Amino acid sequence: MAESVIPQQGMWFEHALEYEMDPQNGIRPARCVVTRIAEPGVTVLPQVLWRRLDDSDEDSLSSIDTDLFDDVVLRWLTPEECALAVMEARFHEH
């Protein structure tokens, strides 16, 4: 589990429970981007919503209560890894 950080839209992280295929190294933790923080509505607590790098479908966002979000973050990506993830995500969109 990563250090506790208040998630913000556009932050990239490695998911502790989901995996993606890496052509060079096989299976690796899924890289995900926080898409938004949703205020309470249907649920009692605010939600963190995210999308996996390898999933370009905006309708398939995942979410979790903000107080549980730290449990799914393996680690936060470095600025260099974030830049690479953004480029790869754009490739997956096309």
Side-chain angles (χ1 to χ4, degrees), residues 27-90:
I27 297 175
R28 60 170 288 149
R31 291 166 293 168
C32 305
V33 63
V34 175
T35 58
R36 69 185 175 111
I37 311 300
E39 292 302 318
V42 176
T43 63
V44 176
L45 297 172
Q47 300 277 302
V48 178
L49 287 83
W50 71 88
R51 179 178 50 85
R52 289 173 50 136
L53 179 143
D54 58 357
D55 189 358
S56 60
D57 183 5
E58 284 293 325
D59 294 331
S60 64
L61 298 176
S62 298
S63 67
I64 193 169
D65 293 347
T66 54
D67 63 334
L68 299 174
F69 184 68
D70 286 342
D71 295 336
V72 300
V73 176
L74 181 62
R75 71 178 185 91
W76 293 98
L77 272 58
T78 66
E80 295 81 14
E81 291 170 320
C82 289
L84 180 60
V86 167
M87 287 191 316
E88 288 184 41
R90 286 184 184 141

